[in-house]
Amino acid sequence: MDFESLSADLRALQQRALDEAAAAPDPESLELLQIRYLSKKGEITTVLRGIGALPAEDRPRVGAIANAVSEAVKAALAAREAELHAEVQTFRLAGERVDVTLPGRPRSRGTLHPIPETMAAIAEVFGRFGFVVYEGPEVEDDLTNFQMLNMPPDHPARDLWDTLYVDIPGRLLRTHTSPGQMRVMQSTKPPIRALLPGRCFRYEAVDASHGFEFFQVEGLMVDEGTSLADLKGLLDEFAHALFGPRKTRFRPGYYPFTEPSVAFDVECVVCDGVGCPACSRSGWMTILGAGMVHPVVLQYGGIDPERYQGFAFGMGVERIANLRHAVPDLRYYLENDLRFLEQFR
Amino acid sequence: MRVPLAWLREYVDVQLTPEQLAERLTLLGMEVKGIEQWGADWRSVVVGELLTVEKHPYADRLHLTTVNIGSGEPLHIVCGAHNIAPGQRVPVALPGAVLPGDRHIERTEKMGIASEGMLCSGDELRITADAEGILILPAEMPLGRQLSDLYGDAVLDVDVKPNRGDALCLIGLAREVAAATGAALRWPEIAVEEAGGPIAERLRVEVREPELCTRFVGRWVSGARIGPSPDWVQMRLQTAGMRPINNVVDASNYVMLELGKPTHTFDGAAVNDGKIIVRRAFQGERLETLDHVDRELTEDTLIIADPRGPIGIAGVMGGADSEIGDRTTEIAIESAIFDPVSIRRTGHRYALRSEASLRFEKGQEFRLARIGADRVAQLTLAWAGGSVARGRVDTAPAEPNSSQLAFRPRRVSKLLGTDVTAAEQRALLRRVGIETEEAGTAPRIQVAVDPRPLAVPAGEDLVIVATVPTWRRDLAIEADLAEEIARVRGYESTPAHLPATLMPAYRPSPLKVRDMIRETLAGAGLTEVVTHALVSSLDEARLLWPEDTSEPAIPGDLAAQSGDEIVVTNPLSAQHSVLRRHLAASLLDVLSLNERQGRGDVAVFEIGKGYARVGDGPREWTRLAFLMTGAAEPASWNRVARPYDLDDARGIAELLCQRLGLPTPSYVPDARGFPFHPGRALVARAEAGSEALSGRMAEMHPDVLARWDLRAQRVIIAELASPVLDSAVPARVRVEPIPRFPEVERDLAVIVAEGHTAAEVEATIRRHGGALLRGLRLFDLYRGAPLAATEKSLAYRLVLGARDRTLTEAEVDAAVAGVRSGLESEIGAHLRT
Ligand SMILES: [Zn+2]
């Protein structure tokens, strides 16, 4: 046995091992090849038993060749193992295909009612301008609902608010959110910027545009220099926030508790100002009433009308929601037909 | 108020189109709600001339006519009226014409003779009240012209606000038009030819209630002949929305529309002794009013009487006995000023509110009493003939002068937020008839009248004194003049800018917490509803949702959320006659409505108020309620449907507690039965410091479902209360440090008798687990073999740990052993491991 023949044996062995590794059909065969070539009783070790017959100077050279063969076989086995793994995985994944065009598993979410949603939208806009939310009672007294708002008993303007009365003397169901103005003024001092959302009641037969229960949002701002121009600027911002960039119109209105009084219109959302049945062909839709707080009201609120001035506004939430969502009938809101509510996804 | 433009033009020139005028008036504060084309419903009605009028050969009551309509062959028309003669001009409805009331006219045959159209009465065209005769047109009407071209008009519907009673008439609106356009106002010429004897021989007036009747002006006309008013008068009244009656009553109504002065005309023969007494009614007195209702009068009703008794309710409605009738010849004219409050109360008392009382309620200009009496006398004379007695009866002939009102132009500018010079302010006021001058000595400024008069010294400011016209009873304080200046100037010219003044202090919004809860519940699959606060008393009684004060009690101040029902004293219907105390019945109504639309899966919630009477006062509180029935998750190709049950309700309560920073709620069974399933009802409660949430949840008793006529078999309802719903501030999260040492999990299957609740088992584990027990979760509930029929197994996962060390095996074992022995000794449990 000489160096040449021994090294030739090792090379032949390497070639055979590499061929067999490449042809191994499964991980188990690779396991057997591992044992056959690389274990302590494997073929490489067996070949190296002949090393003792070699001259001393050749032994390290043969050792180096044997190491190289061993590494090459290990690498071949690893490569084949990776290859086999990839094949198996590809096959498994191929079998797991699904129809990705099927509809998903439904996640059910309920919907939110347009009245509180609209109130939230209104509160959001005015909140930006420092208006803070207060809430007043719905079972009010005549004093706060009418008298302190400059409507003494038998005032003809009371006809504008047909009233529901309850079996508690002197009490009624508030006909508007305006009495909240009084409660705010009596409980805090200027500067005041207050928003009062809530439910109101009127003695009114129900049809597509009237209801005996409805919702309003009232606003009140009082300070030393608060003016009609401030009101106009603020309402313009509000209208633009809720209805987009439309023209607005400020015109005289009438409320006993404001002087001057204002009606605030936006360009018709149906016809964009051209004129249509929805806006009585005027091109305008009234969205709220407002005005400078009447000195009588300030006095009842404990505020000196010579020093302070302010404005108030009030809007129907249903009216705003109607215009935003094209709701055709006021009765939809309190009827709660899910076919209506579920449209507010 | 309906304003026919043709009539309005008598008092002011109008160069604008109806649409332009409507916009100008609207911007001036006289809102035009609509424009009606009067005569738009006469289509193909033309002016014709009667050529021949002959008897119908087969019918005595009919005539055969030939009519020239200016072109083509004369038309042959059969007509039933008797007031026609050759040469007259008449309205002819051609075949194909449409008349008011959508009446279509076609070629017809009447008693064997063809009729090529129809001759129209005033009533058929709604021009006059005459339904008997054909409307005879003035001879100068051009042949063949469409009637709508000749008599058509635009009628504005003006919404006159309650403070502007002075504008509830044509003169008043003409003033506004003059202010808007700068045109001059033309008053009608009012002059009475007095050919009769002195009025004192005819009429005496005694006012016994000078507070309630501040002025009474009387006139008398003798020898009048009652009949229809001239056609043009009837036409004006019709276009203004008032039905013509006869020439005298029409004169009174005409003056009300023209000047805004309601007057009344009595048959003079029915005024006994020629004496009118204005007094309160006596107890038990009766009067048959013009509407032929016999009314018992109350002592607080102001009446017009003669020495024998009542002949009218002052300012509201006259009596039937003194009504102007066909045989009336003597006419007493009443033109008075009554106390607005008294008239308003009387109108309400008898549910009788007339065009007249509406005007009295808003207050009347004092001098109008005189002017109105004169105008009615003048028109009566013109339309009914006779002679007017000399002079008037007048109980308060002294007419007050215009009042003075001082204002500061600088202050007006400050209110409007824009500088308007004093000169411009004065010019603007002049356009609405308010003359001004610079104040001589510094007068005080009237800032407010109520609740206490507030007049301040002007200080350094320039002060202008305005002379308020007598008809403007609405102008009393400085701010009123500011409004006049602003509206005449045009609100559009007010600049818009954002407030630059101080901000108020921060205040948390109650809407925010509710919005968070709403989002959470929607995320959990519930749809929000908003229902009526006014409900039927029957519904409340049908449900009998327990009072919160009953057992088992709901803790804390939430217990106060109960009391007696608040009842509406003037409800619109029994369906909505009481304020609800609970939301549960409303949710059942929502379910019922949706079931009728074929919806079986319903999960809804509402945040709303409950109301009750506590002692003498009302109380309101905010509640949260939800209802669930049908499938919790509707079936899908990749999911099976699962019905809602009480576990879902508790799960939602637990979710809410998490969102609100409250601990997991505890549950106590409620076995009361109706309205609940006796074995499926509970009181839930969670508390942390001052925060709390509590309420009832239950599957509803089948009898409740039957009462609501529901198809659903199982309906879960929960109604919860929490102060946080009103307080706006949810509990804050307080963070615990993340454990530094590993925690150990141990599972324990606890077998107990059915009678022991999960709450008991859990409480026992917690009590014995001590400080090392850091978490506890029920993960399985099992009944069946090998357990006895009376047993159940509850499987818990315990999490054990300590803040400062890793637990040893021995410590964990000891803790579990403690729990085990506690369960065994206290509730007789045995354990499987
Ligand atoms: Zn429109």
Side-chain angles (χ1 to χ4, degrees), chain A residues 268-279 283-285:
Chain A
C268 176
V269 298
V270 178
C271 65
D272 291 329
V274 177
C276 71
C279 57
W284 297 99
M285 285 180 150

Side-chain angles (χ1 to χ4, degrees), chain B residues 337-397:
Chain B
I337 309 279
F338 299 113
D339 174 55
V341 169
S342 163
I343 297 295
R344 187 176 159 85
R345 287 190 182 158
T346 301
H348 278 290
R349 191 177 306 127
Y350 300 103
L352 251 186
R353 297 179 81 191
S354 57
E355 288 286 326
S357 73
L358 285 175
R359 285 171 171 82
F360 278 120
E361 281 180 21
K362 293 176 173 67
Q364 292 261 303
E365 187 188 356
F366 201 74
R367 63 187 189 117
L368 270 186
R370 168 181 54 83
I371 299 170
D374 287 1
R375 183 68 166 156
V376 173
Q378 176 191 18
L379 297 181
T380 300
L381 187 63
W383 301 341
S387 62
V388 178
R390 199 167 65 247
R392 334 174 171 91
V393 177
D394 192 340
T395 63

Side-chain angles (χ1 to χ4, degrees), chain B residues 234-499:
Chain B
Q234 295 194 36
M235 208 177 303
R236 281 193 172 173
L237 292 174
Q238 290 268 22
T239 42
M242 203 148 231
R243 193 159 172 76
I245 309 288
N246 59 47
N247 43 15
V248 174
V249 174
D250 288 356
S252 174
N253 284 337
Y254 189 94
V255 170
M256 179 170 70
L257 294 174
E258 180 184 55
L259 306 178
K261 179 76 203 90
T263 57
H264 190 72
T265 47
F266 297 94
D267 182 340
V271 178
N272 289 295
D273 303 346
K275 171 147 192 194
I276 281 176
I277 304 160
V278 184
R279 60 169 170 87
R280 289 174 193 265
F282 303 128
Q283 185 69 42
E285 259 183 322
R286 305 188 74 88
L287 174 69
E288 184 188 342
T289 42
L290 277 176
D291 53 359
H292 299 293
V293 177
D294 182 44
R295 298 172 191 274
E296 179 165 346
L297 305 174
T298 59
E299 284 174 305
D300 39 15
T301 302
L302 187 71
I303 59 162
I304 309 296
D306 66 12
R308 289 204 205 152
I311 56 173
I313 301 177
V316 177
M317 194 175 274
D321 289 346
S322 54
E323 183 179 1
I324 306 290
D326 292 345
R327 286 191 292 277
T328 301
T329 57
E330 300 297 297
I331 294 151
I333 298 168
E334 163 215 310
S335 178
I337 309 279
F338 299 113
D339 174 55
V341 169
S342 163
I343 297 295
R344 187 176 159 85
R345 287 190 182 158
T346 301
H348 278 290
R349 191 177 306 127
Y350 300 103
L352 251 186
R353 297 179 81 191
S354 57
E355 288 286 326
S357 73
L358 285 175
R359 285 171 171 82
F360 278 120
E361 281 180 21
K362 293 176 173 67
Q364 292 261 303
E365 187 188 356
F366 201 74
R367 63 187 189 117
L368 270 186
R370 168 181 54 83
I371 299 170
D374 287 1
R375 183 68 166 156
V376 173
Q378 176 191 18
L379 297 181
T380 300
L381 187 63
W383 301 341
S387 62
V388 178
R390 199 167 65 247
R392 334 174 171 91
V393 177
D394 192 340
T395 63
E399 292 173 2
N401 291 325
S402 314
S403 57
Q404 309 270 298
L405 184 55
F407 70 100
R408 297 160 290 183
R410 190 192 60 81
R411 180 75 187 191
V412 170
S413 290
K414 189 182 170 201
L415 198 65
L416 305 186
T418 181
D419 277 330
V420 184
T421 63
E424 193 191 338
Q425 294 189 19
R426 296 175 66 178
L428 290 166
L429 289 175
R430 189 167 304 118
R431 282 173 56 187
V432 280
I434 300 172
E435 294 301 328
T436 57
E437 59 185 1
E438 275 192 39
T441 53
R444 292 170 81 79
I445 309 295
Q446 199 71 41
V447 173
V449 179
D450 291 316
R452 55 194 170 278
L454 176 65
V456 300
E460 301 296 297
D461 280 334
L462 169 69
V463 176
I464 305 290
V465 175
T467 302
V468 179
T470 48
W471 60 86
R472 291 301 302 272
R473 298 164 42 90
D474 59 314
L475 304 179
I477 58 172
E478 189 181 39
D480 294 332
L481 290 174
E483 180 173 70
E484 287 302 295
I485 290 163
R487 79 180 180 101
V488 179
R489 185 167 180 264
Y491 277 27
E492 274 309 285
S493 56
T494 303
H497 56 66
L498 287 174

Side-chain angles (χ1 to χ4, degrees), chain A residues 102-106 108-113 115-117 119-120 123-124 128-130 132-139 150 153-160 163-169 171 173 191-193 197 199 201-205 212-213 215 221 223-230 232-234 236-237 248-254 259-262 280 284 286 292 294-296 299-300 304-309 333-339 341-342, chain B residues 23 26-29 31 33 161-163 341 344-345 348 353 361-362 408 411 414-417 447-452 454 456 477 479-480 482-483 487 491-505 507-511 514-515 518-519 522-534 565-572 576 579-580 590 593-594 597 599 601-602 604-606 609 611 613 616-618 620 632-634 636-639 726:
Chain A
L102 282 166
R105 181 168 293 115
S108 3
R109 186 182 189 282
T111 54
L112 293 173
H113 195 283
I115 293 287
E117 282 297 273
M119 280 190 182
E124 156 74 15
R128 293 288 183 92
F129 296 101
V132 293
V133 174
Y134 290 79
E135 291 182 308
E138 293 169 26
V139 183
N150 199 23
D154 302 302
H155 192 284
R158 285 193 178 209
D159 287 351
L160 300 176
T163 310
L164 287 163
Y165 295 91
V166 296
D167 60 346
I168 304 175
R171 306 283 182 149
L173 300 182
I192 293 171
R193 297 188 190 195
R199 191 189 292 254
F201 303 80
R202 280 186 203 164
Y203 185 91
E204 191 133 23
F212 57 88
E213 280 183 40
F215 293 82
M221 173 163 172
D223 202 356
E224 289 189 359
T226 302
S227 71
L228 198 67
D230 291 330
K232 194 175 184 188
L234 198 67
D236 276 349
E237 287 294 317
T248 62
R249 188 171 80 167
F250 219 52
R251 62 181 169 86
Y254 170 72
E259 188 77 30
S261 299
V262 173
S280 306
W284 297 99
T286 305
M292 301 305 292
H294 199 286
V296 167
Q299 286 215 88
Y300 273 117
D304 176 4
E306 179 60 9
R307 178 171 171 198
Y308 292 103
Q309 53 190 42
Y333 293 110
L334 294 181
E335 212 172 60
N336 297 293
D337 190 320
L338 291 171
R339 293 171 299 178
L341 297 177
E342 287 175 352
Chain B
E23 188 177 14
T26 298
L27 292 178
L28 198 64
E31 187 181 358
K33 293 276 194 192
K161 308 299 183 193
N163 63 329
V341 169
R344 187 176 159 85
R345 287 190 182 158
H348 278 290
R353 297 179 81 191
E361 281 180 21
K362 293 176 173 67
R408 297 160 290 183
R411 180 75 187 191
K414 189 182 170 201
L415 198 65
L416 305 186
V447 173
V449 179
D450 291 316
R452 55 194 170 278
L454 176 65
V456 300
I477 58 172
D480 294 332
E483 180 173 70
R487 79 180 180 101
Y491 277 27
E492 274 309 285
S493 56
T494 303
H497 56 66
L498 287 174
T501 51
L502 293 175
M503 283 287 203
R507 182 185 155 88
S509 165
L511 298 185
R514 281 180 226 150
D515 286 349
R518 293 169 57 237
E519 276 295 342
L526 279 73
T527 288
E528 184 176 30
V529 298
V530 174
T531 61
H532 283 290
L534 288 171
E565 211 162 62
I566 297 177
V567 179
V568 175
T569 52
N570 59 333
L572 281 140
H576 301 284
L579 282 170
R580 64 180 172 194
V590 171
L593 176 123
N594 282 287
Q597 313 303 339
R599 286 289 297 252
D601 304 335
V602 174
V604 293
F605 76 95
E606 178 168 16
K609 274 186 175 175
Y611 314 77
R613 171 190 191 140
D616 287 339
E620 302 171 18
E633 295 168 327
S636 171
W637 69 274
N638 51 5
R639 186 176 69 187
D726 287 312

Side-chain angles (χ1 to χ4, degrees), chain B residues 137-181:
Chain B
L137 302 173
E140 67 271 18
M141 286 295 142
L143 284 184
R145 279 286 289 281
Q146 291 280 341
L147 204 68
S148 53
D149 293 347
L150 301 168
Y151 289 102
D153 194 8
V155 182
L156 304 188
D157 177 15
V158 183
D159 180 19
V160 177
K161 308 299 183 193
N163 63 329
R164 290 299 305 275
D166 66 291
L168 264 178
C169 59
L170 286 143
I171 275 287
L173 286 162
R175 273 193 201 109
E176 294 291 312
V177 173
T181 63

Side-chain angles (χ1 to χ4, degrees), chain B residues 551-709:
Chain B
E551 288 301 314
I554 286 183
D557 58 349
L558 303 182
Q561 300 192 350
S562 60
D564 296 331
E565 211 162 62
I566 297 177
V567 179
V568 175
T569 52
N570 59 333
L572 281 140
S573 72
Q575 272 300 320
H576 301 284
S577 56
V578 301
L579 282 170
R580 64 180 172 194
R581 284 174 294 179
H582 304 283
L583 309 187
S586 303
L587 297 187
L588 283 167
D589 291 341
V590 171
L591 172 58
S592 166
L593 176 123
N594 282 287
E595 263 198 357
R596 276 181 269 127
Q597 313 303 339
R599 286 289 297 252
D601 304 335
V602 174
V604 293
F605 76 95
E606 178 168 16
I607 297 177
K609 274 186 175 175
Y611 314 77
R613 171 190 191 140
V614 178
D616 287 339
R619 194 171 286 177
E620 302 171 18
W621 55 84
T622 308
R623 293 187 158 243
L624 161 63
F626 55 87
L627 173 149
M628 302 183 295
T629 188
E633 295 168 327
S636 171
W637 69 274
N638 51 5
R639 186 176 69 187
V640 284
R642 178 179 72 72
Y644 273 115
D645 59 25
L646 199 53
D647 298 356
D648 289 298
R650 290 197 306 276
I652 284 168
E654 288 156 20
L655 178 66
L656 279 174
C657 285
Q658 285 166 17
R659 293 295 282 126
L660 296 174
L662 291 167
T664 305
S666 61
Y667 304 119
V668 179
D670 178 354
R672 77 178 61 240
F674 191 90
F676 303 142
H677 186 307
R680 298 186 175 185
L682 63 104
V683 168
R685 143 182 203 179
E687 268 178 296
S690 62
E691 297 303 331
L693 177 133
S694 66
R696 296 172 197 281
M697 308 185 179
E699 184 176 312
M700 301 312 289
H701 195 281
D703 291 349
V704 169
L705 307 187
R707 286 182 188 189
W708 258 264
D709 208 10

Side-chain angles (χ1 to χ4, degrees), chain B residues 11 57 62 113 351 399 477 573-574 765 773 802 818:
Chain B
Y11 312 107
L62 296 181
I113 294 186
E399 292 173 2
I477 58 172
S573 72
I765 296 174
L773 181 65

